[in-house]
Amino acid sequence: MTAASNFRQKTHFMKSWKPQRPPSNRDRLELYALHKQSVSGDAPTSDPPSASVADKAKLTAWRSKMGLSQQDAMEAYVVECERQVQLYGTRDDGSRSSAGGGGNSGSGATTSSSQQQQQNNNQHNQQQSSGAPASSQSTPMYHSTTPQNTPAAQNNSNNNNNDDDGVLLCPRGLAAIPLLCAAASESRSAYLARLQVTHPSNGWWAKQEPLCLEVNNPLSIPEKLIIGIACQIERISLVVSEYMGHGQAVSLLSPRVLQAFLWPVHNVFLSIWVLWILVCTYLGSMVSMSQTLLFGAKRTNTPLGRLFLEEILPAARAVESLCEQHQTISVRMSGLALMPMMILCDVANGVVGRLGILVGSVVFVGMGACGWWYWLCVLPWLAVCSVCLAVMSGWCFGLIELSGN
């Protein structure tokens, strides 16, 4: 079977695939980019003047495949689809449609309501151009079976397709928090073993990029600073073997001593990055909510309810997960420092349930504005203190490694 045939078959399958849990925003963008590269070739080099945030995110993902031939993109799309199906599973909800087969590629579920049938048709039209999977969860407030945190793919042949309007990108930093917490839980022995087999030009931090904002956005400078400092610390840990150890300039000390000294600093910077992601998400939600309150949802394309469902509440639950017992001490300290944020989010959500979305939004913005000193003064001070504590504790791990030699 040719690559084009496999591509068409896999695209048809993905239209009716219903994962057990919603794929991450990054994975959906990856599918979109590979599909566009397969069908249309290289992306345009500049963004349209009227491009929304969702449009820019999709164009950025598409441009990342520039130079990839259409046949290679088709093959990569098939591989990526298989990976995501294996990763997210397939939900069996008793629908009559076949997962890989012919017939209608939209939802096969029979409903007694003509309104529900219309929603399923809209979902099918929205997924038609990118092969994006249907969500396993629905958002009751908006009566949609397509996840609202996923940028829908536009059909270039249909200029009247407005499914992309109002799409709110869930901050990809929230999806990366579990991975960052797992990286922070790396033991000292595992960290030292990893450095022994890592080339200085292939460090973990060197591969990272800002998750909260676009790289060329001036507001991403704090996040780039965190990544840049951590990258330099890691580079020191990687190149130290060229100057320390037997036969080197400093032959009395093993490079593992300095690497063990810098290990807690590495973990603390991971925790600071997690803290920054959550604070940036919180402040960004507050700004977006303020704009919607002032100018209306139609103008900002960010409904208040969607902000609560897709940014505020997930951020609150992420803070709660940082304080779980299996997390490392640095991550748990970050969770404790962000407890006020979780409380504010839960209080505002409680007000929404009692008094409505408008009052809850005003309460959320008001409480967040009153706590400006905490976000802009206290948390940066705590971050600096945590780095100092990491340096002081690093001496202990360095001495432990020295005594072991």
Side-chain angles (χ1 to χ4, degrees):
M1 187 178 294
T2 64
S5 300
N6 284 332
F7 174 75
R8 286 193 296 268
Q9 183 178 5
K10 189 61 66 175
T11 301
H12 183 74
F13 167 76
M14 295 302 287
K15 293 172 187 174
S16 58
W17 175 54
K18 295 184 178 180
Q20 291 180 350
R21 53 194 179 92
S24 67
N25 190 60
R26 177 173 290 185
D27 282 346
R28 287 179 173 269
L29 283 174
E30 180 71 10
L31 276 184
Y32 171 82
L34 289 172
H35 187 276
K36 291 294 291 183
Q37 188 71 16
S38 301
V39 175
S40 306
D42 289 343
T45 57
S46 60
D47 295 341
S50 59
S52 64
V53 176
D55 293 331
K56 292 179 180 178
K58 291 188 292 182
L59 284 170
T60 300
W62 185 7
R63 291 192 194 105
S64 68
K65 311 302 176 186
M66 187 169 293
L68 188 67
S69 68
Q70 290 181 276
Q71 182 173 354
D72 290 342
M74 291 179 184
E75 295 175 353
Y77 178 85
V78 171
V79 173
E80 179 64 19
C81 288
E82 293 174 351
R83 183 192 72 83
Q84 293 194 26
V85 170
Q86 183 177 5
L87 177 63
Y88 297 107
T90 302
R91 176 168 61 92
D92 183 11
D93 58 355
S95 64
R96 296 187 299 179
S97 61
S98 173
N104 296 333
S105 60
S107 173
T110 302
T111 64
S112 58
S113 170
S114 59
Q115 181 180 3
Q116 180 65 35
Q117 183 64 40
Q118 181 63 33
Q119 292 162 10
N120 291 338
N121 293 336
N122 290 340
Q123 175 192 354
H124 166 73
N125 292 335
Q126 183 176 0
Q127 295 170 355
Q128 185 71 30
S129 63
S130 68
S135 172
S136 61
Q137 297 178 353
S138 60
T139 306
M141 183 173 296
Y142 297 98
H143 304 286
S144 174
T145 54
T146 301
Q148 302 299 327
N149 64 336
T150 302
Q154 283 185 322
N155 188 344
N156 293 334
S157 63
N158 186 4
N159 295 330
N160 296 325
N161 185 3
N162 295 325
D163 288 341
D164 203 34
D165 292 344
V167 170
L168 179 64
L169 288 175
C170 179
R172 60 175 180 167
L174 290 181
I177 285 178
L179 300 177
L180 296 179
C181 292
S185 65
E186 185 180 31
S187 65
R188 177 168 56 91
S189 58
Y191 175 76
L192 296 177
R194 178 170 61 84
L195 293 183
Q196 296 301 316
V197 297
T198 303
H199 190 271
S201 62
N202 195 35
W204 184 86
W205 280 102
K207 301 176 183 177
Q208 306 309 310
E209 62 180 12
L211 297 173
C212 299
L213 297 168
E214 296 294 335
V215 177
N216 56 355
N217 192 320
L219 296 179
S220 67
I221 291 177
E223 189 173 8
K224 288 192 287 188
L225 184 64
I226 294 172
I227 297 173
I229 295 176
C231 181
Q232 294 304 316
I233 293 174
E234 183 184 47
R235 183 169 180 80
I236 293 174
S237 299
L238 292 172
V239 303
V240 70
S241 58
E242 300 178 4
Y243 304 98
M244 298 177 64
H246 298 292
Q248 303 296 339
V250 183
S251 58
L252 297 178
L253 292 178
S254 168
R256 293 172 62 92
V257 175
L258 181 58
Q259 292 169 347
F261 168 75
L262 295 175
W263 169 66
V265 182
H266 161 78
N267 287 342
V268 164
F269 268 94
L270 282 169
S271 302
I272 293 175
W273 194 10
V274 170
L275 186 145
W276 169 256
I277 289 172
L278 288 166
V279 171
C280 189
T281 301
Y282 178 83
L283 296 179
S285 300
M286 193 171 66
V287 171
S288 297
M289 190 165 287
S290 301
Q291 293 174 339
T292 301
L293 288 172
L294 291 174
F295 304 111
K298 290 185 178 180
R299 185 170 180 180
T300 61
N301 289 331
T302 52
L304 297 175
R306 192 176 297 176
L307 279 169
F308 269 99
L309 289 174
E310 298 175 359
E311 288 197 18
I312 297 172
L313 295 182
R317 301 289 72 81
V319 173
E320 188 177 14
S321 69
L322 299 183
C323 300
E324 295 175 354
Q325 293 184 354
H326 68 275
Q327 303 286 11
T328 60
I329 184 64
S330 59
V331 172
R332 294 171 73 178
M333 293 300 293
S334 296
L336 290 175
L338 291 171
M339 273 295 171
M341 187 186 92
M342 187 189 76
I343 294 174
L344 292 181
C345 293
D346 288 340
V347 168
N349 187 52
V351 174
V352 170
R354 291 177 177 272
L355 301 177
I357 189 68
L358 183 61
V359 177
S361 301
V362 173
V363 169
F364 177 80
V365 173
M367 291 191 303
C370 291
W372 65 268
W373 53 274
Y374 188 79
W375 320 120
L376 302 181
C377 299
V378 175
L379 288 181
W381 178 78
L382 290 176
V384 173
C385 290
S386 65
V387 173
C388 295
L389 289 174
V391 172
M392 289 188 289
S393 63
W395 288 104
C396 301
F397 295 107
L399 290 175
I400 292 172
E401 194 65 33
L402 180 63
S403 62
N405 294 333

